Amino acid sequence: MSAPLIGVIGIVALLILIALRIPVAIAMGVVGVVGGIVLNGWFSIGFVLGSQPFVTTSSYSLSVIPLFVMMGAFASRAGLSTALYQSLQALIGHWRGGLASATIGACALFGAVCGSSLATAATMARVAVPEMTAIGYDRRLTTGALAAGGTLGILIPPSIIMVIYALLTEQSIGRMFLAGLMPGILAALLYIVVVCAIARLKPSWAPAAKVNAKMAKSAAFRSMTPILALFTIVMGGIYVGVFSPTEAAGVGAFGAIVLAAMRRRLSWSVTKEALLETATTTGMLFMILIGTSVLQFFIETSTLPRVIVDWIGALGLPPIGVIILILIIYIILSCFLDSLSMMLITLPIVFPVVMNLGYDPIWFGVLVVSVVEIGLITPPLGMNLFVIKASVENLRFETVAVGAMPFIAADMVRLILLVSFPSLSLALPELLM
C-alpha cells in the first residue's frame, strides 16, 4: 500500500473518530501514532512522542494563549457585556431593528476583549434575549443575530484561532491581528445591513423600541470608554511596537482584572472561576496542539500534501480557482466539523498547496478564519447555534438555524469580497508593520 493512500486512510479514520465524539486531541494523536508506526516504524514514532509534546508546548509564543484566555475569562465576569449592550441600546436601540443591531455591535466589542466566539454568544444571549423578547422581537431574528454576532469573537483581534493559525504556519501574530481588523468590521457592518433589511421586509419581527431612559447618550459613551480603552491599549501597543503580542496579552489580562475590580465584580470566587476556566481552556488547546504535531508528522511522511499539490497542478486550474476550490471544501467540512478541528486537520494539507501557488499566508489565514467563522453558524453542527439553544429556554434548534440563514448569506458576500480584494486584509499589515 502506497504512503499517500495510507495518508488518505488516516484522514478518513480521523473523521470517523471525531464523528464518534472522540475528543479531537486524542483522535489526532491516535491516528498520528498508528499512521506513524505503519509508515516509519516504532523507533521513529517513539522519538516523535518523546520530543514533540515538549517542543510543541515549550515555545515562548504559546504563552500568549493562556493570557488572552485569562483576559476573556475576567472580562466576561466583569459585566462588560451588559455595559456594552446597555450603552449601544441607548445609542441605537430606538431604531427599528436597533436592539438586534446593538446586539451585533456589543458582540463585536465584547469579542474584541474576549477572543472566543462561544463565550461571546453565550454571554450576550443572557443579556440580549430578555430585552428583545420583552418588546416582541421574533425569535428567529433574535437568535440569528446572536449566533452571527458571536462569530465576531474569532475574527476581531485578539483571537485565539488567529494565534493558533499564526503559530502553526510560523506567521507574525501581530500581522494576523492587523489583517483581521478590517474584515471583522466589515462582517459586523454586513450583519447590521441584514438586520436592517429584515426589519424593513418583516416589520413585525423587529418592533421599534423606546429610547432607554436609564442611560443618556453621553453616559452611554462613558460606559463604553473603559472597554474601548482596554482594546486600544492592547492592540495599539502591538501595532506601534510598544508591546510584543505576549506582553500585550499580559497587559490585557491585567486590564480585565482591573476593570472587574472597578466594577466591583472581583471576588475570590470570581477569581477562582476565571483562573479555573483559563487553566481548563489552555490545557485543552495545548493537548490539541500536541495531537496536531503528531498528526502532522504522519501527514508529512505520507507525502500526501505533495501528491495533492501535483494533482491540483494537473487539473490546470488558475491559482484563484484553486483557492475557490479549497474554500468550497472548507464550507462543506464546516457543516460537520467544529471550527478548531477543521483548521487543525486541514492546514497541514492545504497550506503547502497555497504556498506553492505564491499567495500571501496572512491573506489566506484571514480566509481560513472567515470560513471557520461561517462554520460556527452552519447547520447541522454550528457550535454557536447549539450554544444559543442551550442559553435560551424553550428554544428549538430549527428556530436558531432558520434565523442564522440570512447572516450566512452576508458571510458569503464578505468571503467573495475578501477573495476579490486582498487589500481588505493586507492594507493594514503593509501600512503599519
Side-chain angles (χ1 to χ4, degrees), residues 4-49:
L5 181 57
I6 294 174
V8 171
I9 293 173
I11 295 297
V12 173
L14 176 60
L15 296 176
I16 292 173
L17 290 175
I18 292 175
L20 294 174
R21 299 189 180 278
I22 304 296
V24 64
I26 296 175
M28 289 192 294
V30 168
V31 171
V33 168
V34 174
I37 292 172
V38 172
L39 287 177
N40 306 289
W42 287 93
F43 180 80
S44 294
I45 199 63
F47 175 78
V48 170
L49 291 176

Tab-separated table of all heavy atoms in Angstrom, residues 4-49:
chain	number	residue	atom	x	y	z
A	4	PRO	N	0.877	7.704	0.247
A	4	PRO	CA	-0.243	8.653	0.145
A	4	PRO	C	-1.597	8.010	0.443
A	4	PRO	O	-2.460	8.633	1.058
A	4	PRO	CB	-0.162	9.126	-1.315
A	4	PRO	CG	1.256	8.938	-1.699
A	4	PRO	CD	1.686	7.684	-0.989
A	5	LEU	N	-1.779	6.755	0.014
A	5	LEU	CA	-3.039	6.073	0.287
A	5	LEU	C	-3.213	5.851	1.790
A	5	LEU	O	-4.320	5.991	2.333
A	5	LEU	CB	-3.083	4.739	-0.452
A	5	LEU	CG	-4.373	3.909	-0.265
A	5	LEU	CD1	-5.601	4.714	-0.683
A	5	LEU	CD2	-4.278	2.599	-1.047
A	6	ILE	N	-2.113	5.514	2.460
A	6	ILE	CA	-2.179	5.372	3.924
A	6	ILE	C	-2.550	6.711	4.560
A	6	ILE	O	-3.315	6.771	5.536
A	6	ILE	CB	-0.827	4.867	4.466
A	6	ILE	CG1	-0.570	3.435	3.972
A	6	ILE	CG2	-0.797	4.925	5.993
A	6	ILE	CD1	0.801	2.908	4.341
A	7	GLY	N	-2.029	7.802	3.997
A	7	GLY	CA	-2.384	9.120	4.492
A	7	GLY	C	-3.867	9.406	4.347
A	7	GLY	O	-4.509	9.942	5.258
A	8	VAL	N	-4.438	9.054	3.203
A	8	VAL	CA	-5.876	9.249	2.973
A	8	VAL	C	-6.690	8.422	3.960
A	8	VAL	O	-7.673	8.905	4.556
A	8	VAL	CB	-6.242	8.874	1.521
A	8	VAL	CG1	-7.756	8.871	1.340
A	8	VAL	CG2	-5.596	9.845	0.544
A	9	ILE	N	-6.279	7.155	4.162
A	9	ILE	CA	-6.981	6.288	5.110
A	9	ILE	C	-6.924	6.892	6.516
A	9	ILE	O	-7.902	6.862	7.280
A	9	ILE	CB	-6.379	4.873	5.092
A	9	ILE	CG1	-6.649	4.205	3.737
A	9	ILE	CG2	-6.943	4.023	6.233
A	9	ILE	CD1	-5.944	2.876	3.556
A	10	GLY	N	-5.775	7.471	6.854
A	10	GLY	CA	-5.628	8.101	8.156
A	10	GLY	C	-6.585	9.271	8.340
A	10	GLY	O	-7.201	9.425	9.407
A	11	ILE	N	-6.730	10.113	7.310
A	11	ILE	CA	-7.648	11.252	7.395
A	11	ILE	C	-9.089	10.770	7.543
A	11	ILE	O	-9.868	11.307	8.345
A	11	ILE	CB	-7.496	12.150	6.149
A	11	ILE	CG1	-6.107	12.782	6.100
A	11	ILE	CG2	-8.576	13.224	6.143
A	11	ILE	CD1	-5.811	13.698	7.255
A	12	VAL	N	-9.456	9.740	6.778
A	12	VAL	CA	-10.814	9.189	6.884
A	12	VAL	C	-11.046	8.622	8.284
A	12	VAL	O	-12.103	8.842	8.897
A	12	VAL	CB	-11.041	8.104	5.818
A	12	VAL	CG1	-12.379	7.409	6.035
A	12	VAL	CG2	-10.987	8.717	4.421
A	13	ALA	N	-10.046	7.903	8.804
A	13	ALA	CA	-10.168	7.346	10.160
A	13	ALA	C	-10.321	8.458	11.193
A	13	ALA	O	-11.099	8.329	12.150
A	13	ALA	CB	-8.943	6.491	10.469
A	14	LEU	N	-9.606	9.564	10.988
A	14	LEU	CA	-9.705	10.700	11.909
A	14	LEU	C	-11.108	11.279	11.908
A	14	LEU	O	-11.682	11.568	12.973
A	14	LEU	CB	-8.684	11.765	11.504
A	14	LEU	CG	-8.706	13.076	12.293
A	14	LEU	CD1	-8.430	12.820	13.773
A	14	LEU	CD2	-7.686	14.058	11.734
A	15	LEU	N	-11.685	11.455	10.728
A	15	LEU	CA	-13.042	11.994	10.639
A	15	LEU	C	-14.056	11.058	11.295
A	15	LEU	O	-15.010	11.512	11.942
A	15	LEU	CB	-13.412	12.228	9.169
A	15	LEU	CG	-12.575	13.290	8.432
A	15	LEU	CD1	-12.974	13.356	6.962
A	15	LEU	CD2	-12.733	14.656	9.085
A	16	ILE	N	-13.841	9.760	11.147
A	16	ILE	CA	-14.748	8.785	11.771
A	16	ILE	C	-14.651	8.878	13.294
A	16	ILE	O	-15.671	8.877	14.004
A	16	ILE	CB	-14.425	7.362	11.286
A	16	ILE	CG1	-14.770	7.213	9.800
A	16	ILE	CG2	-15.192	6.319	12.120
A	16	ILE	CD1	-14.334	5.889	9.197
A	17	LEU	N	-13.436	8.969	13.819
A	17	LEU	CA	-13.253	9.080	15.269
A	17	LEU	C	-13.915	10.340	15.816
A	17	LEU	O	-14.555	10.316	16.878
A	17	LEU	CB	-11.762	9.069	15.612
A	17	LEU	CG	-11.023	7.754	15.414
A	17	LEU	CD1	-9.539	7.920	15.687
A	17	LEU	CD2	-11.601	6.673	16.319
A	18	ILE	N	-13.778	11.444	15.087
A	18	ILE	CA	-14.406	12.689	15.541
A	18	ILE	C	-15.920	12.556	15.483
A	18	ILE	O	-16.627	13.034	16.379
A	18	ILE	CB	-13.915	13.869	14.681
A	18	ILE	CG1	-12.423	14.126	14.944
A	18	ILE	CG2	-14.719	15.129	14.970
A	18	ILE	CD1	-11.815	15.177	14.058
A	19	ALA	N	-16.434	11.899	14.420
A	19	ALA	CA	-17.881	11.684	14.318
A	19	ALA	C	-18.396	10.822	15.471
A	19	ALA	O	-19.547	10.961	15.893
A	19	ALA	CB	-18.213	11.029	12.985
A	20	LEU	N	-17.536	9.937	16.003
A	20	LEU	CA	-17.897	9.102	17.143
A	20	LEU	C	-17.720	9.832	18.467
A	20	LEU	O	-17.823	9.221	19.537
A	20	LEU	CB	-17.052	7.824	17.135
A	20	LEU	CG	-17.303	6.862	15.968
A	20	LEU	CD1	-16.310	5.717	15.991
A	20	LEU	CD2	-18.734	6.338	16.004
A	21	ARG	N	-17.435	11.142	18.389
A	21	ARG	CA	-17.299	12.016	19.556
A	21	ARG	C	-16.077	11.700	20.401
A	21	ARG	O	-16.055	11.958	21.617
A	21	ARG	CB	-18.567	11.988	20.416
A	21	ARG	CG	-19.799	12.483	19.668
A	21	ARG	CD	-20.986	12.654	20.596
A	21	ARG	NE	-22.166	13.133	19.875
A	21	ARG	CZ	-22.390	14.407	19.564
A	21	ARG	NH1	-21.504	15.328	19.911
A	21	ARG	NH2	-23.500	14.747	18.923
A	22	ILE	N	-15.048	11.141	19.782
A	22	ILE	CA	-13.758	11.020	20.450
A	22	ILE	C	-13.154	12.423	20.521
A	22	ILE	O	-13.160	13.137	19.523
A	22	ILE	CB	-12.811	10.071	19.686
A	22	ILE	CG1	-13.461	8.700	19.503
A	22	ILE	CG2	-11.470	9.957	20.393
A	22	ILE	CD1	-13.727	7.971	20.789
A	23	PRO	N	-12.632	12.880	21.660
A	23	PRO	CA	-12.005	14.210	21.724
A	23	PRO	C	-10.979	14.388	20.627
A	23	PRO	O	-10.189	13.481	20.347
A	23	PRO	CB	-11.360	14.223	23.117
A	23	PRO	CG	-12.205	13.295	23.933
A	23	PRO	CD	-12.636	12.209	22.968
A	24	VAL	N	-11.002	15.557	20.004
A	24	VAL	CA	-10.199	15.757	18.802
A	24	VAL	C	-8.709	15.584	19.079
A	24	VAL	O	-7.972	15.071	18.231
A	24	VAL	CB	-10.498	17.147	18.194
A	24	VAL	CG1	-10.091	18.277	19.134
A	24	VAL	CG2	-9.817	17.314	16.847
A	25	ALA	N	-8.234	15.994	20.251
A	25	ALA	CA	-6.812	15.827	20.573
A	25	ALA	C	-6.430	14.354	20.590
A	25	ALA	O	-5.391	13.958	20.046
A	25	ALA	CB	-6.498	16.476	21.924
A	26	ILE	N	-7.264	13.522	21.213
A	26	ILE	CA	-6.994	12.080	21.275
A	26	ILE	C	-7.110	11.458	19.892
A	26	ILE	O	-6.283	10.621	19.497
A	26	ILE	CB	-7.962	11.409	22.256
A	26	ILE	CG1	-7.712	11.934	23.670
A	26	ILE	CG2	-7.822	9.888	22.211
A	26	ILE	CD1	-8.688	11.427	24.705
A	27	ALA	N	-8.129	11.872	19.113
A	27	ALA	CA	-8.307	11.322	17.768
A	27	ALA	C	-7.092	11.610	16.891
A	27	ALA	O	-6.591	10.710	16.197
A	27	ALA	CB	-9.576	11.908	17.132
A	28	MET	N	-6.608	12.857	16.922
A	28	MET	CA	-5.439	13.195	16.111
A	28	MET	C	-4.202	12.455	16.585
A	28	MET	O	-3.383	11.983	15.777
A	28	MET	CB	-5.208	14.708	16.139
A	28	MET	CG	-6.243	15.500	15.363
A	28	MET	SD	-5.800	17.241	15.094
A	28	MET	CE	-5.849	17.849	16.769
A	29	GLY	N	-4.049	12.334	17.909
A	29	GLY	CA	-2.893	11.617	18.440
A	29	GLY	C	-2.902	10.149	18.054
A	29	GLY	O	-1.870	9.592	17.648
A	30	VAL	N	-4.061	9.496	18.168
A	30	VAL	CA	-4.161	8.067	17.829
A	30	VAL	C	-3.862	7.837	16.353
A	30	VAL	O	-3.079	6.937	15.998
A	30	VAL	CB	-5.570	7.545	18.188
A	30	VAL	CG1	-5.800	6.157	17.579
A	30	VAL	CG2	-5.755	7.496	19.701
A	31	VAL	N	-4.466	8.633	15.478
A	31	VAL	CA	-4.222	8.471	14.039
A	31	VAL	C	-2.760	8.749	13.716
A	31	VAL	O	-2.133	8.038	12.925
A	31	VAL	CB	-5.152	9.404	13.230
A	31	VAL	CG1	-4.757	9.408	11.752
A	31	VAL	CG2	-6.603	8.958	13.377
A	32	GLY	N	-2.195	9.799	14.333
A	32	GLY	CA	-0.788	10.117	14.083
A	32	GLY	C	0.139	9.013	14.529
A	32	GLY	O	1.104	8.675	13.822
A	33	VAL	N	-0.139	8.413	15.685
A	33	VAL	CA	0.722	7.339	16.201
A	33	VAL	C	0.593	6.087	15.340
A	33	VAL	O	1.602	5.507	14.905
A	33	VAL	CB	0.355	7.029	17.671
A	33	VAL	CG1	1.034	5.726	18.125
A	33	VAL	CG2	0.779	8.174	18.569
A	34	VAL	N	-0.637	5.636	15.085
A	34	VAL	CA	-0.832	4.422	14.289
A	34	VAL	C	-0.282	4.605	12.875
A	34	VAL	O	0.433	3.738	12.349
A	34	VAL	CB	-2.328	4.040	14.247
A	34	VAL	CG1	-2.547	2.861	13.299
A	34	VAL	CG2	-2.834	3.707	15.639
A	35	GLY	N	-0.602	5.745	12.255
A	35	GLY	CA	-0.083	6.004	10.911
A	35	GLY	C	1.425	6.105	10.896
A	35	GLY	O	2.095	5.610	9.963
A	36	GLY	N	1.998	6.736	11.937
A	36	GLY	CA	3.455	6.841	12.015
A	36	GLY	C	4.122	5.490	12.153
A	36	GLY	O	5.190	5.239	11.567
A	37	ILE	N	3.521	4.587	12.926
A	37	ILE	CA	4.075	3.237	13.079
A	37	ILE	C	4.037	2.489	11.755
A	37	ILE	O	5.002	1.832	11.353
A	37	ILE	CB	3.298	2.469	14.168
A	37	ILE	CG1	3.560	3.088	15.536
A	37	ILE	CG2	3.672	0.994	14.157
A	37	ILE	CD1	2.700	2.519	16.646
A	38	VAL	N	2.897	2.597	11.055
A	38	VAL	CA	2.752	1.899	9.777
A	38	VAL	C	3.784	2.394	8.763
A	38	VAL	O	4.400	1.592	8.030
A	38	VAL	CB	1.325	2.076	9.226
A	38	VAL	CG1	1.218	1.526	7.812
A	38	VAL	CG2	0.310	1.395	10.138
A	39	LEU	N	4.000	3.713	8.717
A	39	LEU	CA	4.889	4.284	7.703
A	39	LEU	C	6.359	4.249	8.098
A	39	LEU	O	7.237	4.020	7.254
A	39	LEU	CB	4.484	5.730	7.413
A	39	LEU	CG	3.210	5.952	6.607
A	39	LEU	CD1	2.919	7.442	6.475
A	39	LEU	CD2	3.329	5.330	5.219
A	40	ASN	N	6.657	4.472	9.391
A	40	ASN	CA	8.050	4.715	9.796
A	40	ASN	C	8.572	3.782	10.877
A	40	ASN	O	9.750	3.837	11.209
A	40	ASN	CB	8.188	6.168	10.305
A	40	ASN	CG	7.681	7.176	9.302
A	40	ASN	OD1	8.288	7.399	8.267
A	40	ASN	ND2	6.540	7.804	9.607
A	41	GLY	N	7.698	2.957	11.440
A	41	GLY	CA	8.155	2.019	12.454
A	41	GLY	C	8.081	2.589	13.861
A	41	GLY	O	7.849	3.781	14.081
A	42	TRP	N	8.296	1.702	14.842
A	42	TRP	CA	8.174	2.058	16.246
A	42	TRP	C	9.227	3.078	16.684
A	42	TRP	O	8.947	3.957	17.506
A	42	TRP	CB	8.301	0.802	17.110
A	42	TRP	CG	7.109	-0.075	17.044
A	42	TRP	CD1	6.910	-1.140	16.193
A	42	TRP	CD2	5.929	0.017	17.843
A	42	TRP	NE1	5.687	-1.716	16.410
A	42	TRP	CE2	5.053	-1.029	17.429
A	42	TRP	CE3	5.528	0.860	18.866
A	42	TRP	CZ2	3.823	-1.238	17.998
A	42	TRP	CZ3	4.302	0.650	19.447
A	42	TRP	CH2	3.455	-0.380	19.025
A	43	PHE	N	10.452	2.946	16.173
A	43	PHE	CA	11.530	3.813	16.649
A	43	PHE	C	11.240	5.276	16.321
A	43	PHE	O	11.375	6.162	17.170
A	43	PHE	CB	12.861	3.399	16.015
A	43	PHE	CG	14.010	4.251	16.467
A	43	PHE	CD1	14.626	4.024	17.695
A	43	PHE	CD2	14.485	5.285	15.661
A	43	PHE	CE1	15.683	4.822	18.109
A	43	PHE	CE2	15.532	6.082	16.071
A	43	PHE	CZ	16.139	5.842	17.305
A	44	SER	N	10.817	5.536	15.082
A	44	SER	CA	10.565	6.919	14.666
A	44	SER	C	9.429	7.537	15.459
A	44	SER	O	9.521	8.672	15.936
A	44	SER	CB	10.251	6.976	13.161
A	44	SER	OG	11.373	6.615	12.402
A	45	ILE	N	8.314	6.803	15.613
A	45	ILE	CA	7.179	7.371	16.338
A	45	ILE	C	7.513	7.516	17.823
A	45	ILE	O	7.025	8.435	18.489
A	45	ILE	CB	5.910	6.505	16.130
A	45	ILE	CG1	4.657	7.347	16.476
A	45	ILE	CG2	5.951	5.252	16.978
A	45	ILE	CD1	4.449	8.524	15.598
A	46	GLY	N	8.375	6.640	18.356
A	46	GLY	CA	8.815	6.801	19.742
A	46	GLY	C	9.592	8.087	19.930
A	46	GLY	O	9.436	8.787	20.938
A	47	PHE	N	10.448	8.404	18.952
A	47	PHE	CA	11.200	9.652	19.019
A	47	PHE	C	10.256	10.856	18.957
A	47	PHE	O	10.415	11.835	19.698
A	47	PHE	CB	12.196	9.719	17.855
A	47	PHE	CG	12.940	11.022	17.781
A	47	PHE	CD1	14.004	11.288	18.625
A	47	PHE	CD2	12.563	12.006	16.861
A	47	PHE	CE1	14.685	12.493	18.563
A	47	PHE	CE2	13.232	13.216	16.795
A	47	PHE	CZ	14.297	13.458	17.652
A	48	VAL	N	9.247	10.787	18.079
A	48	VAL	CA	8.280	11.883	17.956
A	48	VAL	C	7.511	12.077	19.257
A	48	VAL	O	7.359	13.199	19.758
A	48	VAL	CB	7.305	11.613	16.786
A	48	VAL	CG1	6.154	12.619	16.797
A	48	VAL	CG2	8.041	11.676	15.461
A	49	LEU	N	7.035	10.975	19.841
A	49	LEU	CA	6.268	11.079	21.083
A	49	LEU	C	7.130	11.546	22.248
A	49	LEU	O	6.634	12.180	23.183
A	49	LEU	CB	5.635	9.724	21.421
A	49	LEU	CG	4.521	9.251	20.485
A	49	LEU	CD1	4.045	7.859	20.884
A	49	LEU	CD2	3.351	10.224	20.513
